[in-house]
């Protein structure tokens, strides 16, 4: 992350904190007192007075209600020679707050501290710091300066020795500098989060992304932290604490491990999904703005950086390739896993671009077009140079295939769509017939079974290649092509790949089993009405499954298939209309679907290919 | 002592050919046939190859078993005989079966890549094109691949630009597929061949580009469980090797097999005495696997099918032979 982004997020976080941390009506209020306390502890200062009682077994310290005499917190520096007194305010320093928020009153009290504590017998300097987590204006600064000019410059120690008294102010920027200098650690966060975050940092520093430990330990712990931090009622502080957690986590990233960059993206994504879900629970537009801001400045910015750094791999021949030989065609399986991971991220980024760039202006439109074309070029090259991109392993990879199509569709690259779908059909056919040593697509999305099949050469129990939502999607995508190419491809897909019939209408024989290949059942899925609500928090696979029951033992003409599938689209839309409300950007739903391993509702591509006034025989107009 | 044969060799050959195809299951007959063929090659290499080609045309079984190390006695004999010229003649034959036999013999025997194929009559470019397709449609390991391509490369120097380019692309492909057996071997030749030189440059660039991105984050992770499956796969592979060694090793079959679990030296206690311990000997054999089969297995299968389609399209009357 760029330093200025880090600073921006820390500034926003510190700027929204209260003065005091406390538990109030079962909700933890985050305060700058906790920041000051931990900042001083980080510098090995000894607390003399704190505004709260530390409670180890509780989620938050308990605020003191005693009279403070203007002093919120005081510390002895490490050498025990300097007493630092903090006067804390969560107000801006201006003319109004100077008296209205008791800046003046508290400072006047603070310049007369009680030095009778034996620990203070040997101090040589007293420093009073007015710390406020807001900005200031000229009048406020002037008032403060005049106060200093009239304030005492020395103070008498218990032994009557006169020691210097200095008065400083820390505004928001200074507080941010202090935090960046000393406190970019889990202790920056409130007590109920800092412990989990410390553990999370340790895990991230040691676990490799993609390992079982990452899946079984790092991510569940991270999700636990996110749910702990984002309890209802959602407020600004809770939302802003998440990017801060991420900034701290990033420091613990094991940069010597190349996989850590992908792990960082993974953590970011889970955080974003949680934040988007959280902001829905708040009626305040301000909270949505915070999440939107984090989405753009943190997630999309980091994703852009990651994709840019990875372009070399995508556009190098066989760039996506296992580094060590592994028996049993595990490398092609893992290569496909990496490729589809990358495809998902590129797709999300390119869908998000028009959502965040102002496309009302010429400059905005030009920027969107420039980026879309740039990545469409990269994708076209990647598909040619890296065969892993044409190797979907599980039915859920329909999401990434849809994104490939969408990128080309948005950039009006119809020929690329045709080449992509055509090549994909051929490669899938070879797998289906046992000619390519890679198993066919597993309909139940069990990647472990796909890998086991590749290693052993034997189909494991539970491996499902007889049903497919992915293949149905590919057939529907063919409708985005001109009629002649659409007909040609639909024929290939349905007769050869799906029905398993050669040009003479004879069923293919599987090369390994020696048996005739069975037709694949095309299964359409009607998502539940609350899909959009639930996808942010869970896998959504319920709803209605509609299987196309027509099986043919002879090839069907492309024209007939075109009509058949058009009618199918029309009927399913009428019978099971898509009613979920896209109240968040589409890219967020795509991300949530990928993270929760959830299928996409077909309306996402149907709405582009089959406009509501579509009739059979019309050529779809690309209005992207 | 018999100074004359009771029957003419050519008559025996004709009988052998006329009784084809002998089924694969007639192991005793095939064993005797193999001894007969060994005698023929020891007598006259040219006549042997004529007979062998005719046999292959009559019986697919022989062609199909090449590469599976059957007829090991015959192959060893061929290997110990100077047959480079004959192999090359097979490669550039007008007949498809003959060409395939020539290619598949590279699997079984050590053909020298130093034979000057230009000493033979230059074949038509159409034959060279078919030879190239035949090669693509066949799967050879690294060493035979590099030897064969090195051997036939001079034939492609003066051909039409399209064919020359296709051959160069194949050289590049195999240099990438077998960097040890092909790329390193061709570099060691220090040849002045422009085709091989260009292929080396392109293949070197391929590997340089890959090295630059090999440590990229996008290439550095796996799916959860991959590590365990890699170990499992390695075990399955070892199991296969072990069982096939057991099948073929008489010693393993007859002798007791003891797994030594501790120690780096071993001895036996027998009849009240212990022999001096002896260390272990490491016996290993390595072969270079085809890289592209792992990177793009679908693509390799498509490549072979396309090659066979091109051959069948060029010569529809020829026997359609599936790729191995």
């Amino acid at each position: 992350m760029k330093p200025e982004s880090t600073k921006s997020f820390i500034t926003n976080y510190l700027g929204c904190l209260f003065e005091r941390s406390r538990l109030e009506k079962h909700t933890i209020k985050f305060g700058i007192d906790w920041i000051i306390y931990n900042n001083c502890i980080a510098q090995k200062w000894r607390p003399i007075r704190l505004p709260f009682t530390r409670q180890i077994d509780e989620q938050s310290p308990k605020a003191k209600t005693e009279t403070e005499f203007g002093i919120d917190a005081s510390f002895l520096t490490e050498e025990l020679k300097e007493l630092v007194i903090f006067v804390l305010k969560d107000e801006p320093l201006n003319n109004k707050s100077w008296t209205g928020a008791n800046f003046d009153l508290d400072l006047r009290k603070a310049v007369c501290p009680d030095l009778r504590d034996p620990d203070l017998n040997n101090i040589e300097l007293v420093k009073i710091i007015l710390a406020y987590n807001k900005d200031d204006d000229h009048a406020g600064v002037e008032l403060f300066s005049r106060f200093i000019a009239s304030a005492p410059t020395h103070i008498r120690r218990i032994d009557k020795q006169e020691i210097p008294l200095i008065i400083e102010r820390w505004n928001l920027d200074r507080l941010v500098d202090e935090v960046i200098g000393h406190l970019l650690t889990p202790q920056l966060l409130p007590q109920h989060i800092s412990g989990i975050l410390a553990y999370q940092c340790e895990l991230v520093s040691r676990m490799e992304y993609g390992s079982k430990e990452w899946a079984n330990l790092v991510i569940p712990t991270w999700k636990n932290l996110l749910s702990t931090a984002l309890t209802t009622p959602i407020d600004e502080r809770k939302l802003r604490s998440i990017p801060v957690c991420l900034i701290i986590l990033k420091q613990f990233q094991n940069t010597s491990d190349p996989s850590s960059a992908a792990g960082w993206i993974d953590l970011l994504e889970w955080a974003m999904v949680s934040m988007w879900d959280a902001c829905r629970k708040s009626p305040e537009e301000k909270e949505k703005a915070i999440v939107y801001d984090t989405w753009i400045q943190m997630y999309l910015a980091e994703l852009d950086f990651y994709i840019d750094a990875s372009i070399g791999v995508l556009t190098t021949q066989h760039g996506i390739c296992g580094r060590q030989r592994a028996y049993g065609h595990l490398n092609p399986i893992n290569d496909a896993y990496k490729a589809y991971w990358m495809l998902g991220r590129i797709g999300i980024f390119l869908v998000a671009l028009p959502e965040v760039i102002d496309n009302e202006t010429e400059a905005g439109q030009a920027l969107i077009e420039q980026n879309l074309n740039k990545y469409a070029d990269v994708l076209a090259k990647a598909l040619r140079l890296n065969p892993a991109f044409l190797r979907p392993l599980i039915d859920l990879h329909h999401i990434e295939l849809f994104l490939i199509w969408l990128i080309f569709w948005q950039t009006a690259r119809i020929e690329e769509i045709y080449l992509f779908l055509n090549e994909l059909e051929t490669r899938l056919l070879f797998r289906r017939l046992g000619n390519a040593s890679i198993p066919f697509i597993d309909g139940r999305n069990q990647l472990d079974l796909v890998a086991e099949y590749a290693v052993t050469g034997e189909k494991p129990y539970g491996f499902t290649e007889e049903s497919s939502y992915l293949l149905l999607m590919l057939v529907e995508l063919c409708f985005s092509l001109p009629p002649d190419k659409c007909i040609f491809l639909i024929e290939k897909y349905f007769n050869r790949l799906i029905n398993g019939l050669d040009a003479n209408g004879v069923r293919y024989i599987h090369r390994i089993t020696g048996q005739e290949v069975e037709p694949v059942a095309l299964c359409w899925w009607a998502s539940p009405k609350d899909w959009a609500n639930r996808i942010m928090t869970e896998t959504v696979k319920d709803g209605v499954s509609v299987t196309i029951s027509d099986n043919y033992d002879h090839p069907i003409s492309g024209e007939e298939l075109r009509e058949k599938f058009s009618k199918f689209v029309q009927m399913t839309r009428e019978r099971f209309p898509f009613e979920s409300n896209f109240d968040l950007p589409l890219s967020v739903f795509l991300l949530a679907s990928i993270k929760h391993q959830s299928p996409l509702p077909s309306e996402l591509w149907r709405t582009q290919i089959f406009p509501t006034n579509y009739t059979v025989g019309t050529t779809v107009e690309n209005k992207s | 002592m018999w100074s004359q044969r009771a029957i003419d060799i050519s008559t025996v050959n004709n009988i052998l050919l006329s009784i084809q195809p002998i089924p694969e299951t007639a192991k005793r007959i095939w064993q005797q046939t193999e001894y007969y063929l060994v005698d023929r090659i020891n007598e006259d290499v040219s006549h042997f190859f004529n007979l062998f080609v005719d046999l292959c045309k009559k019986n697919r079984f022989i062609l199909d078993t090449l590469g599976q190390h059957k007829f090991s006695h015959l192959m060893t004999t061929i290997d110990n005989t100077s047959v480079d010229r004959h192999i090359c003649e097979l490669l550039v034959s007008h007949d498809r079966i003959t060409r395939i036999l020539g290619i598949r013999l590279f699997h079984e025997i050590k053909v020298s890549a130093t034979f000057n194929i230009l000493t033979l009559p230059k074949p038509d470019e159409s034959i060279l094109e078919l030879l190239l397709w035949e090669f693509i449609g066949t799967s050879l390991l690294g060493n035979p691949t590099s030897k064969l391509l090195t051997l036939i490369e001079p034939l492609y120097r003066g051909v039409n630009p399209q064919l020359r380019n296709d051959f160069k692309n194949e050289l590049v492909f195999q240099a990438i597929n077998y960097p040890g057996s092909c790329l390193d071997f061709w570099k060691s030749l220090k040849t002045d061949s422009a085709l091989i030189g260009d292929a080396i440059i392109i293949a070197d660039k391929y590997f340089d580009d890959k090295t630059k991105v090999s440590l990229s984050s996008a290439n550095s992770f796996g799916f959860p469980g991959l590590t365990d499956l890699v170990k499992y796969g390695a075990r399955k592979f070892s199991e296969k090797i072990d069982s096939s060694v057991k099948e073929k090793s008489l010693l393993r079959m007859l002798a007791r097999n003891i797994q030594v679990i501790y120690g780096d030296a071993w001895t036996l206690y027998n009849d009240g005495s212990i022999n001096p311990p002896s260390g272990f000997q490491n016996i290993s054999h390595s072969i270079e696997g085809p890289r592209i089969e792992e990177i793009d297995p679908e693509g390799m299968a498509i490549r072979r099918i396309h090659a066979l389609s091109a051959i069948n399209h060029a010569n529809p009357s020829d026997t359609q032979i599936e790729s191995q």
Side-chain angles (χ1 to χ4, degrees):
Chain A
M1 279 185 73
K2 291 182 185 169
E4 49 268 30
S5 292
T6 300
K7 204 164 181 176
S8 169
F9 283 109
I10 306 263
T11 304
N12 291 338
Y13 174 65
L14 294 181
C16 72
L17 296 179
F18 296 114
E19 183 186 316
R20 295 298 175 88
S21 302
R22 60 191 182 280
L23 186 65
E24 187 176 290
K25 292 180 187 171
H26 305 294
T27 302
I28 298 170
K29 303 282 186 190
F30 302 2
I32 51 167
D33 54 349
W34 185 253
I35 306 293
I36 295 294
Y37 163 66
N38 278 298
N39 187 51
C40 297
I41 294 294
Q43 296 175 77
K44 299 182 185 165
W45 295 3
R46 183 196 298 180
I48 300 297
R49 196 214 171 260
L50 294 175
F52 48 73
T53 309
R54 287 169 288 192
Q55 302 188 101
I56 311 300
D57 296 333
E58 297 296 326
Q59 286 191 319
S60 171
K62 187 176 178 186
K64 289 179 183 170
T65 52
E66 63 198 15
T67 310
E68 295 168 339
F69 302 99
I71 297 173
D72 289 301
S74 59
F75 297 84
L76 266 181
T77 58
E78 188 178 4
E79 302 82 17
L80 307 178
K81 299 289 184 195
E82 194 177 313
L83 175 66
V84 182
I85 293 170
F86 286 95
V87 177
L88 302 179
K89 295 290 176 196
D90 60 356
E91 299 287 342
L93 176 61
N94 54 36
N95 186 40
K96 186 178 173 187
S97 66
W98 182 251
T99 49
N102 292 331
F103 276 77
D104 179 51
L105 182 61
D106 285 347
L107 277 170
R108 287 183 190 285
K109 289 180 187 174
V111 295
C112 307
D114 181 0
L115 300 181
R116 286 175 294 179
D117 188 331
D119 287 338
L120 306 178
N121 285 348
N122 297 318
I123 57 171
E124 296 169 2
L125 174 68
V126 175
K127 188 186 285 184
I128 296 175
I129 298 175
L130 172 66
Y132 49 101
N133 64 332
K134 299 287 188 289
D135 289 320
D136 40 49
D137 65 10
H138 177 72
V141 173
E142 180 65 20
L143 283 164
F144 180 79
S145 301
R146 288 185 187 191
F147 173 82
I148 292 177
S150 64
T153 58
H154 285 77
I155 193 167
R156 199 172 289 172
R157 214 164 54 187
I158 190 71
D159 60 357
K160 312 288 187 226
Q161 177 84 16
E162 292 271 334
I163 53 175
L165 173 70
I166 298 174
I167 306 175
E168 288 181 4
R169 63 181 177 88
W170 287 5
N171 62 3
L172 179 56
D173 288 322
R174 178 61 193 274
L175 278 172
V176 169
D177 289 341
E178 284 289 316
V179 161
I180 291 175
H182 305 120
L183 199 57
L184 270 190
T185 64
Q187 284 66 40
L188 176 57
L189 280 302
Q191 184 176 328
H192 70 297
I193 300 173
S194 60
I196 314 174
L197 182 58
Y199 180 49
Q200 180 71 15
C201 291
E202 187 60 31
L203 291 176
V204 164
S205 69
R206 290 199 275 136
M207 304 299 174
E208 224 176 79
Y209 176 65
S211 64
K212 275 179 12 185
E213 291 78 19
W214 185 277
N216 295 335
L217 202 51
V218 175
I219 296 304
T221 307
W222 181 231
K223 285 182 181 177
N224 179 32
L225 188 154
L226 291 168
S227 66
T228 303
L230 295 173
T231 51
T232 48
I234 297 295
D235 65 27
E236 183 184 357
R237 281 145 287 279
K238 289 176 183 174
L239 287 171
R240 292 200 188 278
S241 71
I242 304 300
V244 174
C245 288
L246 285 161
I247 288 167
I248 293 167
L249 266 176
K250 183 116 174 83
Q251 297 188 104
F252 287 82
Q253 191 184 342
N254 180 6
T255 49
S256 64
D257 169 19
S259 75
S260 65
W264 164 242
I265 298 292
D266 189 35
L267 294 172
L268 254 176
E269 289 175 342
W270 283 114
M272 286 316 315
V273 168
S274 295
M275 286 180 77
W276 279 113
D277 179 57
C279 85
R280 269 170 155 181
K281 295 170 188 164
S282 166
E284 303 288 331
E285 281 305 311
K286 187 181 181 185
E287 265 96 54
K288 283 195 175 55
I290 292 169
V291 178
Y292 199 68
D293 192 51
T294 310
W295 176 252
I296 298 173
Q297 289 203 38
M298 189 172 259
Y299 176 60
L300 291 181
E302 288 294 289
L303 199 56
D304 184 23
F305 178 74
Y306 183 87
I307 294 171
D308 219 45
S310 304
I311 280 181
V313 180
L314 307 181
T315 53
T316 295
Q317 189 175 8
H318 304 155
I320 300 260
C321 169
R323 283 186 278 160
Q324 285 177 336
R325 304 297 282 267
Y327 175 74
H329 292 95
L330 273 178
N331 273 334
I333 302 296
N334 197 44
D335 291 347
Y337 175 78
K338 289 182 285 192
Y340 276 72
W341 189 97
M342 201 66 224
L343 272 173
R345 274 71 197 171
I346 293 175
I348 290 168
F349 181 72
L350 293 181
V351 169
L353 262 184
E355 293 169 344
V356 304
I357 296 176
D358 182 6
N359 60 3
E360 302 280 317
T361 63
E362 260 187 51
Q365 283 170 8
L367 187 61
I368 292 170
E369 200 176 314
Q370 183 191 349
N371 274 287
L372 284 177
N373 277 308
K374 171 186 165 189
Y375 287 108
D377 288 338
V378 166
L379 191 57
K381 224 172 162 184
L383 290 174
R384 281 178 185 67
L385 297 176
N386 279 286
F389 285 101
L390 291 168
R391 191 180 299 141
L393 301 174
I394 53 178
D395 199 77
L396 274 177
H397 282 162
H398 71 264
I399 301 178
E400 288 80 4
L401 293 176
F402 160 65
L403 290 171
I404 293 176
W405 172 84
L406 187 63
I407 292 165
F408 288 143
W409 178 251
Q410 285 181 322
T411 49
R413 297 180 188 218
I414 305 302
E415 187 62 19
E416 287 290 350
I417 293 176
Y418 170 71
L419 292 172
F420 151 63
L421 288 174
N422 193 29
E423 180 72 13
L424 183 62
E425 187 275 339
T426 304
R427 285 171 173 267
L428 286 175
L429 180 67
F430 270 71
R431 284 165 61 185
R432 181 133 143 77
L433 304 183
N435 275 332
S437 314
I438 307 284
F440 196 54
I441 302 167
D442 177 49
R444 291 198 185 278
N445 306 309
Q446 301 157 109
L447 188 59
D448 54 336
L449 292 193
V450 176
E452 186 186 323
Y453 196 163
V455 170
T456 62
E458 291 161 16
K459 184 172 160 179
Y461 179 74
F463 186 93
T464 307
E465 54 188 352
E466 299 85 5
S467 300
S468 181
Y469 180 59
L470 181 151
L471 291 182
L472 179 57
M473 182 196 76
L474 291 176
V475 168
E476 292 183 5
L477 293 183
C478 291
F479 280 78
S480 64
L481 299 168
D484 56 336
K485 289 189 163 127
C486 170
I487 286 167
F488 171 73
L489 274 186
I490 286 183
E491 256 188 49
K492 276 180 76 174
Y493 268 94
F494 189 81
N495 294 327
R496 270 189 1 162
L497 181 59
I498 292 166
N499 236 7
L501 298 172
D502 67 15
N504 299 320
V506 177
R507 280 230 192 274
Y508 285 112
I509 303 291
H510 195 276
R511 189 167 161 266
I512 310 291
T513 63
Q515 309 288 325
E516 283 186 351
V517 294
E518 294 286 329
V520 174
L522 296 178
C523 301
W524 182 73
W525 173 62
S527 55
K529 291 189 171 99
D530 57 354
W531 174 84
N533 291 337
R534 291 165 51 206
I535 190 60
M536 302 306 295
T537 53
E538 59 179 293
T539 304
V540 181
K541 288 195 292 191
D542 53 312
V544 178
S545 176
V546 179
T547 304
I548 297 179
S549 68
D550 300 335
N551 278 326
Y552 299 96
D553 55 3
H554 57 275
I556 309 294
S557 75
E559 286 87 357
E560 195 180 330
L561 287 168
R562 204 157 166 251
E563 186 169 335
K564 175 186 158 72
F565 279 102
S566 299
K567 276 196 183 138
F568 176 75
V569 168
Q570 191 180 349
M571 280 193 69
T572 46
R573 270 174 148 177
E574 283 166 8
R575 181 74 176 83
F576 304 100
F578 182 75
E579 291 173 352
S580 278
N581 177 31
F582 281 106
D583 56 336
L584 298 175
L586 174 63
S587 49
V588 175
F589 287 106
L590 290 170
L591 175 63
S593 297
I594 290 176
K595 298 312 281 186
H596 290 125
Q597 298 191 21
S598 215
L600 283 185
S602 59
E603 199 56 28
L604 289 179
W605 57 87
R606 284 180 171 187
T607 202
Q608 313 248 7
I609 301 172
F610 304 97
T612 44
N613 58 350
Y614 174 82
T615 55
V616 176
T618 54
T619 304
V620 178
E621 189 190 336
N622 185 339
K623 289 185 180 155
S624 56
Chain B
M1 185 168 165
W2 297 97
S3 57
Q4 277 190 335
R5 288 201 173 98
I7 185 168
D8 190 51
I9 289 298
S10 60
T11 306
V12 177
N13 292 348
N14 288 335
I15 294 171
L16 181 59
L17 290 170
S18 65
I19 61 172
Q20 298 299 331
I22 301 172
E24 181 185 339
T25 49
K27 289 190 175 10
R28 188 96 179 104
I29 299 176
W30 278 114
Q31 194 179 46
Q32 294 300 316
T33 307
E34 186 181 9
Y35 292 147
Y36 180 76
L37 291 172
V38 167
D39 287 343
R40 298 289 67 74
I41 194 173
N42 285 332
E43 265 185 14
D44 186 317
V45 178
S46 295
H47 286 160
F48 160 76
F49 271 105
N50 290 338
L51 171 62
F52 198 45
V53 167
D54 289 339
L55 257 180
C56 288
K57 287 179 185 174
K58 291 278 187 181
N59 196 333
R60 278 280 307 272
F61 166 62
I62 301 173
L63 212 55
D64 289 346
T65 56
L66 287 176
Q68 296 172 31
H69 305 296
K70 295 191 182 346
F71 300 121
S72 50
H73 180 39
L74 173 62
M75 291 301 135
T76 305
T77 310
I78 298 176
D79 212 2
N80 293 331
T81 313
S82 177
V83 295
D84 290 357
R85 183 185 184 86
H86 299 91
I87 300 285
C88 288
E89 283 172 347
L90 295 180
L91 290 175
V92 296
S93 165
H94 280 75
D95 174 68
R96 191 174 172 210
I97 300 277
T98 312
R99 286 197 303 271
I100 292 174
L101 175 61
I103 292 172
R104 292 192 185 175
L105 278 174
F106 272 81
H107 243 311
E108 299 285 345
I109 64 176
K110 296 187 193 62
V111 182
S112 162
T114 56
F115 178 76
N116 185 0
I117 202 169
L118 293 175
T119 57
L120 298 179
K122 188 158 183 208
D124 290 341
E125 285 191 7
S126 59
I127 299 298
L128 292 179
E129 190 175 348
L130 285 171
L131 174 60
L132 183 59
W133 285 121
E134 294 288 4
F135 169 76
I136 293 172
T138 312
S139 299
L140 289 180
L141 288 176
N143 267 326
T145 295
S146 72
K147 296 281 169 55
L148 191 150
L149 288 174
T150 311
L151 198 61
I152 64 176
E153 179 269 332
L155 296 173
Y156 291 84
R157 290 179 190 173
V159 298
N160 70 73
Q162 177 63 50
L163 181 57
R164 192 172 187 278
N165 203 46
D166 289 343
F167 185 76
K168 188 179 84 173
N169 288 341
E170 189 57 28
L171 288 175
V172 172
F173 183 87
Q174 295 302 345
I176 290 168
N177 198 22
Y178 293 110
S181 310
C182 290
L183 180 59
D184 289 346
F185 175 69
W186 290 330
K187 281 180 181 174
S188 72
L189 288 180
K190 294 189 178 13
T191 174
D192 55 3
S193 159
L195 279 170
I196 292 181
D198 286 348
I200 290 172
I201 291 170
I202 296 170
D204 273 344
K205 182 168 188 317
Y206 165 89
F207 284 108
D208 285 343
D209 289 344
K210 268 185 63 63
T211 303
K212 286 176 195 159
V213 299
S214 67
L215 290 179
S216 164
S217 171
N219 211 10
S220 300
F221 58 89
F223 58 87
L226 175 65
T227 315
D228 291 343
L229 273 169
V230 167
K231 288 181 194 165
Y232 176 66
R235 273 206 315 279
K236 295 290 285 184
F237 183 62
S238 297
E239 186 187 343
K240 267 193 183 170
I241 298 291
D242 196 43
S243 56
S244 61
V245 164
K246 265 186 197 156
E247 248 177 69
K248 292 185 168 45
S249 166
L250 201 57
L251 189 65
R252 285 286 298 270
M253 275 191 250
L254 297 175
R256 188 180 165 198
N257 192 23
I258 296 173
Q259 301 279 340
V260 178
I261 52 178
Y262 302 115
D264 60 357
W266 173 84
T267 184
L268 199 60
Y269 171 72
N270 189 29
D271 274 346
S273 66
I274 297 177
N275 297 331
S278 56
F280 297 112
Q281 203 181 18
N282 202 2
I283 304 169
S284 68
H285 177 69
S286 60
I287 53 172
E288 188 179 16
R291 285 182 69 250
I292 312 296
E293 281 290 352
E294 271 208 20
I295 296 172
D296 188 9
E298 307 98 313
M300 289 293 276
I302 293 170
R303 204 176 97 99
R304 285 189 281 269
I305 295 291
H306 276 161
L308 291 172
S309 296
I311 295 163
N312 291 334
H313 182 71
N315 285 309
S317 59
D318 268 357
T319 313
Q320 298 204 1
I321 296 177
E322 287 176 16
S323 69
Q324 263 187 335

